[in-house]
């Protein structure tokens, strides 16, 4: 199969088609209309076989992860997603794998009303680069740098599931059969918090998506905002699967240090708390308050109730103060 036929068969005019795409797949470049008064928000992420997803992951799951991690970055900026481009490197034309990949792509583009507008296809080690573009009203993008002492710290969803899912898939953790599907989906097909992200505009003072674990990603906010934080480990939200699989201490460890959850971590000033509850009551996006921003530079304290918890107690020696 030639590159041209491959694009026709798997990518051209598949999935959602948008009116703001003047020229999509098929010419030398795409031509797009950005709505007046909106800023264009652009992000890109590469997934490499055996590094960012296990070797032999089905095409459908790879497509859904490649799209989801990019949409998650847009969500963290408060942007509404619009367009995707795809740079695909494949070792050979495996039609079965490509069918699954194309199906996964269509499912996500349909669900989020985004359009695949172009890309590139080359022969090489399996790797997928997606670029996602979206809109945010001018001056309303969420950033990492606006957190202020006193702001409350929130997360969407539950934490640690992708890490537990990875340990399960690699045979390091035994999990009840009824939770296996949920956990492998949390790892391979994360849910980008697109709706929550757009609703946080003008409510959150800072926002980031959790790709490297709560501690690492919170550190990015603390550094960019020049503040410190207290996290209540007894408030961390866990899935039923997590609660059934491990003791609380280990669940906390997963939540703090394992990556790939793609939940949003954000800060909200006291006076915006009721707006947050109101905005979220119209959606099914769950959020949990897990701590508070404090003064001082880039210090992160963990507490259980009023008592301080040491990083060492969690078997964690990377940071510590
Ligand atoms: P060129 O050689 O001019 O760069 P290509 O032959 O690489 O063009 O691509 C032809 C068309 O197909 C372009 O519109 C390009 O954006 C699109 N395209 C190529 N590969 C992909 C892909 N994997 N997914 C989506 N669109 C693709
Ligand atoms: Mg060209």
């Amino acid at each position: 199969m030639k590159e041209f036929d491959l694009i026709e068969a798997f990518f051209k005019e598949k999935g959602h088609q948008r009116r703001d795409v003047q020229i999509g797949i098929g010419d030398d470049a795409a031509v797009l209309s950005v709505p007046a008064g909106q800023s264009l928000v652009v992000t890109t992420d590469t997934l490499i076989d055996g590094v960012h997803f296990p070797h032999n992951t089905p095409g459908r799951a790879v497509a859904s992860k490649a799209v989801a991690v990019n949409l998650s970055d847009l969500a963290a900026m408060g942007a509404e997603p619009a367009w995707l481009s795809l740079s695909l490197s494949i070792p050979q034309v495996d039609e079965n794998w490509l069918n699954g990949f194309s199906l996964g792509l269509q499912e996500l583009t349909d669900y989020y009303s985004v359009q695949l507008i172009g890309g590139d296809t080359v022969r090489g080690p399996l790797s997928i680069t997606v670029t996602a573009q979206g809109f945010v009203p001018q001056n309303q993008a969420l950033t990492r740098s606006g957190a202020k002492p006193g702001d409350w710290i929130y997360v969407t969803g539950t934490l640690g599931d992708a890490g537990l899912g990875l340990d399960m898939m690699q045979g390091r953790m035994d999990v009840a059969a009824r939770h296996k599907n949920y956990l492998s989906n949390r790892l391979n097909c994360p849910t980008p918090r697109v709706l929550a992200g757009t609703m946080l505009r003008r409510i959150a003072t800072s926002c980031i998506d959790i790709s490297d674990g709560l501690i690492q990603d919170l550190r990015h906010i603390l550094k960019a905002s020049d503040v410190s934080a207290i996290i209540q480990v007894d408030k961390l939200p866990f899935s039923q699967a997590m609660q059934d699989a491990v003791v609380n201490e280990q669940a906390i460890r997963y939540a703090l240090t394992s990556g790939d959850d793609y939940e949003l971590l954000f800060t909200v000033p006291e006076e915006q708390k009721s707006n947050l509850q109101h905005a979220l009551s119209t959606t099914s996006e769950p959020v949990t308050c897990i701590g508070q921003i404090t003064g001082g530079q880039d210090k992160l304290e963990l507490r259980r109730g009023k008592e301080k918890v040491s990083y060492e107690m969690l078997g964690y020696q990377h940071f510590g103060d």
Side-chain angles (χ1 to χ4, degrees):
M1 192 182 263
K2 294 244 170 58
E3 182 190 350
F4 175 81
D5 299 322
L6 188 150
I7 295 163
E8 287 277 325
F10 298 109
F11 301 118
K12 196 172 177 190
E13 284 161 30
K14 305 274 185 221
H16 187 73
Q17 305 288 300
R18 295 172 59 101
R19 296 163 69 95
D20 52 16
V21 178
Q22 293 162 36
I23 299 176
I25 294 175
D27 217 308
D28 290 309
V31 180
L32 311 160
S33 312
V34 179
Q38 306 271 322
S39 295
L40 188 63
V41 183
V42 184
T43 183
T44 194
D45 256 311
T46 297
L47 303 189
I48 296 172
D49 182 26
V51 179
H52 302 101
F53 55 89
H55 190 57
N56 291 327
T57 303
R60 190 170 162 199
V62 173
S64 112
K65 185 151 187 173
V67 172
V69 299
N70 278 279
L71 296 187
S72 176
D73 279 327
L74 291 185
M77 302 300 290
E80 175 194 330
W83 309 311
L84 300 176
S85 347
L86 165 69
S87 180
L88 184 61
S89 169
I90 43 175
Q92 74 273 324
V93 178
D94 175 345
E95 291 195 25
N96 189 32
W97 191 91
L98 280 165
N99 253 323
F101 186 85
S102 168
L103 179 68
L105 209 54
Q106 278 178 62
E107 284 169 349
L108 266 92
T109 56
D110 282 340
Y111 188 81
Y112 291 100
S113 302
V114 298
Q115 182 174 338
L116 182 64
I117 50 145
D120 197 16
T121 308
V122 298
R123 200 176 284 265
L126 181 60
S127 129
I128 298 97
T129 300
V130 170
T131 299
Q133 308 189 49
F135 313 132
V136 69
Q138 264 160 34
N139 306 316
Q140 286 187 28
L142 300 171
T143 66
R144 301 174 177 189
S145 60
K148 298 273 181 303
D151 288 356
W152 298 98
I153 303 170
Y154 285 83
V155 288
T156 58
T158 56
L159 299 179
D161 292 329
L164 176 59
L166 183 66
D167 281 351
M168 173 191 85
M169 303 213 1
Q170 298 186 338
R172 286 189 295 271
M173 280 297 303
D174 202 20
V175 172
R178 66 184 183 284
H179 294 314
K180 286 196 166 141
N181 209 18
Y182 169 81
L183 288 172
S184 73
N185 274 330
R186 288 283 287 165
L187 177 66
N188 287 327
C189 313
T191 306
R193 298 292 182 182
V194 169
L195 190 56
T198 57
M199 289 192 341
L200 291 174
R201 296 171 189 162
R202 297 201 278 186
I203 292 177
T205 48
S206 70
C207 187
I208 191 170
D209 68 325
I210 305 180
S211 50
D212 298 329
L214 178 64
I215 288 182
Q216 289 239 30
D217 290 311
L218 178 56
R219 289 254 166 193
H220 292 310
I221 287 186
L222 300 186
K223 231 185 173 80
S225 301
D226 208 14
V227 291
S228 294
I230 296 169
I231 293 295
Q232 296 290 151
V233 297
D234 46 336
K235 297 274 171 62
L236 296 171
F238 299 127
S239 65
Q240 196 59 52
M242 179 68 81
Q243 293 176 52
D244 290 353
V246 299
V247 296
N248 188 251
E249 200 81 338
Q250 195 172 358
I252 291 171
R253 223 172 291 151
Y254 272 119
L256 293 177
T257 62
S258 72
D260 272 3
D261 281 327
Y262 298 100
E263 297 295 347
L264 295 181
L265 167 66
F266 58 97
T267 55
V268 174
E270 175 69 31
E271 66 271 19
Q272 290 289 342
K273 265 181 121 171
S274 57
N275 282 339
L276 174 69
Q277 294 311 332
H278 181 74
L280 290 165
S281 65
T282 61
T283 76
S284 57
E285 307 261 7
V287 302
T288 310
C289 183
I290 58 164
Q292 197 170 23
I293 298 292
T294 58
Q297 285 180 331
D298 194 19
K299 293 240 182 322
L300 178 53
E301 189 180 317
L302 306 177
R303 286 190 194 165
R304 186 184 276 110
K306 291 212 161 76
E307 166 205 344
K308 203 169 159 172
V309 178
S310 72
Y311 287 88
E312 288 71 27
M313 231 178 84
L314 296 163
Y316 197 64
Q317 281 140 17
H318 226 63
F319 312 103
D321 42 16

